[in-house]
Structure formats: structure tokens, C-alpha cells
């Protein structure tokens, strides 16, 4: 038995050295991969709405550019969704029904005639638009959480929330139709958050 002990001891040290080396190499590799992913995320810095540093009140509704959160910046559909939302809000702000109709699904367009659209959005201006989140939906659809500020005349404000300036947060469904994502009709019963500016 004593003859086998030195043999075991000779193999134990090289095995421990190899196991320790592999563990250290794996740890270093994992650190580099994790650190490298963090640097890539930092390289694609999301655009976010900066907090106001001025004591003066800002002019509502705020800038018309669609901004994003870091969560959205990492989503594969970020640019597509942001492009559709920007075109949608640009069309509303410029009172361009034709451009608006290109950003919405057939079902949503069919629900809103040109006359209704002009009446409902005659004085509306939207801004401070922030895309919070993009979630997958059923059948290749998306659900996007958006916040924005709208200003409008009181007769265009919601019947149960008559204010000239409203901050909204709502989920907009987006449907892949005619080769592109389009904003679909909002589901009945969908809850929207809103507050007075």
C-alpha cells in the first residue's frame, strides 16, 4: 500500500494544477465576455428624455421627437417601432391624414373617417414622446408602451378628462400588415393612464 501512495501523490498535483488553470481561464473568459457585452451596450447609448434643469416651465407638449429608454435600445425592433411612432406623431402634428393612414392598420383606418380625424385632431399637438417598452404579441404583433403629452382645445379633450394639456401612458398594439408594422386599433377595455399637465 505504501508503494501506491507516492504514485497517487505524483498524479494529484498535476491534476490539481490543470483543474485550477481551467477554472481560472474560464473565469477570465467569462469576465471578458460579460465586460465586452457591457461595452457594446454602452457604445449604443439610448436616447432618453433628460430631466428638466431649468426652473422655468417648459412649453407643452414638448419636443416632437420619439425618445427611447435603455430597455427599448436593446430590443431588435427598436428602430422599426420608433420609425412608425415618429411617422405617426409627425402626421398627427402636421394634420396629414394621408401620412397618418400609412402608419396605422387597415382596421384602425377604417374606424376613423377623414372627417372624424380632422375634427378629433384639429388642435392637437403631441410631444415629449417616450417609448418605454416593446413586447411581443400574438401572431407576429407587438405591444408598445408609450408615454406622451398632448395639448388640445377642450372640445377635443376626452369627455371625462377635459384639460388642455394631458400626459398619457398607454399600450399601442402594432400589427405586421402590408409588409410593415402599423399601429393597430386599441383593444376595447384597454386602460390608459393620464394626468393633467
Amino acid at each position: 500500500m505504501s508503494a501506491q501512495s507516492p504514485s497517487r501523490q505524483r498524479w494529484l498535483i498535476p491534476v490539481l494544477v490543470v483543474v485550477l488553470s481551467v477554472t481560472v481561464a474560464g473565469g477570465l473568459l467569462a469576465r471578458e465576455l460579460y465586460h465586452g457585452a457591457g461595452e457594446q451596450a454602452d457604445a449604443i447609448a439610448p436616447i432618453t428624455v433628460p430631466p428638466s434643469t431649468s426652473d422655468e416651465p417648459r412649453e407643452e407638449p414638448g419636443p416632437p421627437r420619439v425618445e427611447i429608454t435603455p430597455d427599448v435600445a436593446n430590443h431588435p425592433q427598436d428602430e422599426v417601432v420608433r420609425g412608425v411612432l415618429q411617422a405617426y406623431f409627425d402626421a398627427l402634428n402636421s394634420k396629414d391624414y394621408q401620412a397618418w393612414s400609412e402608419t396605422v392598420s387597415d382596421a384602425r383606418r377604417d374606424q376613423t373617417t377623414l372627417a372624424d380625424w380632422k375634427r378629433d385632431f384639429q388642435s392637437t399637438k403631441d410631444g415629449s414622446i417616450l417609448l418605454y417598452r416593446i413586447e411581443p404579441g400574438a401572431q407576429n404583433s407587438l405591444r408598445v408602451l408609450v408615454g406622451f403629452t398632448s395639448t388640445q382645445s377642450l372640445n377635443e379633450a376626452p369627455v371625462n378628462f377635459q384639460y388642455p394639456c394631458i400626459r398619457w401612458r398607454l399600450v399601442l398594439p402594432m400589427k405586421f400588415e402590408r409588409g410593415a408594422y402599423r399601429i393597430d386599433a386599441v383593444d376595447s377595455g384597454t386602460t390608459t393612464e393620464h394626468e393633467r399637465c
Side-chain angles (χ1 to χ4, degrees):
M1 280 204 154
S2 62
Q4 289 179 345
S5 274
S7 173
R8 284 186 185 166
Q9 288 177 349
R10 277 187 280 197
W11 287 104
L12 182 60
I13 291 175
V15 167
L16 286 174
V17 168
V18 168
V19 168
L20 185 59
S21 298
V22 168
T23 302
V24 169
L28 290 172
L29 179 63
R31 184 185 76 175
E32 286 302 311
L33 289 174
Y34 180 74
H35 186 64
E39 287 176 353
Q40 285 180 344
D42 291 341
I44 307 171
I47 302 167
T48 57
V49 176
S52 176
T53 56
S54 170
D55 289 336
E56 297 177 23
R58 74 173 184 184
E59 189 173 325
E60 297 294 1
R65 182 174 176 193
V66 175
E67 306 287 352
I68 62 171
T69 62
D71 182 55
V72 170
N74 293 321
H75 194 281
Q77 297 294 343
D78 158 39
E79 290 182 22
V80 171
V81 170
R82 192 176 354 162
V84 172
L85 288 174
Q86 189 65 66
Y88 174 83
F89 283 107
D90 287 348
L92 286 173
N93 286 335
S94 64
K95 311 299 178 242
D96 186 342
Y97 178 82
Q98 184 59 41
W100 175 84
S101 69
E102 291 299 316
T103 66
V104 298
S105 68
D106 293 340
R108 181 152 185 182
R109 189 181 60 246
D110 291 347
Q111 288 178 353
T112 311
T113 66
L114 174 59
D116 289 342
W117 190 86
K118 284 184 174 183
R119 184 192 64 240
D120 292 345
F121 297 107
Q122 184 176 4
S123 68
T124 301
K125 281 288 190 190
D126 295 320
S128 302
I129 307 154
L130 182 58
L131 176 53
Y132 288 100
R133 193 162 182 79
I134 303 171
E135 298 275 338
Q139 300 173 342
N140 199 25
S141 67
L142 298 172
R143 299 178 57 78
V144 298
L145 176 59
V146 182
F148 64 95
T149 300
S150 70
T151 58
Q152 62 278 318
S153 62
L154 290 179
N155 65 323
E156 290 176 29
V159 174
N160 60 351
F161 206 73
Q162 294 280 300
Y163 295 103
C165 183
I166 302 172
R167 289 193 181 97
W168 296 92
R169 255 176 74 138
L170 65 148
V171 174
L172 290 175
M174 294 187 80
K175 179 180 188 180
F176 196 79
E177 186 177 88
R178 293 181 277 138
Y181 277 105
R182 300 177 191 285
I183 299 170
D184 201 9
V186 177
D187 302 328
S188 63
T190 299
T191 304
T192 60
E193 295 178 23
H194 54 276
E195 63 185 357
R196 183 180 178 182
C197 301

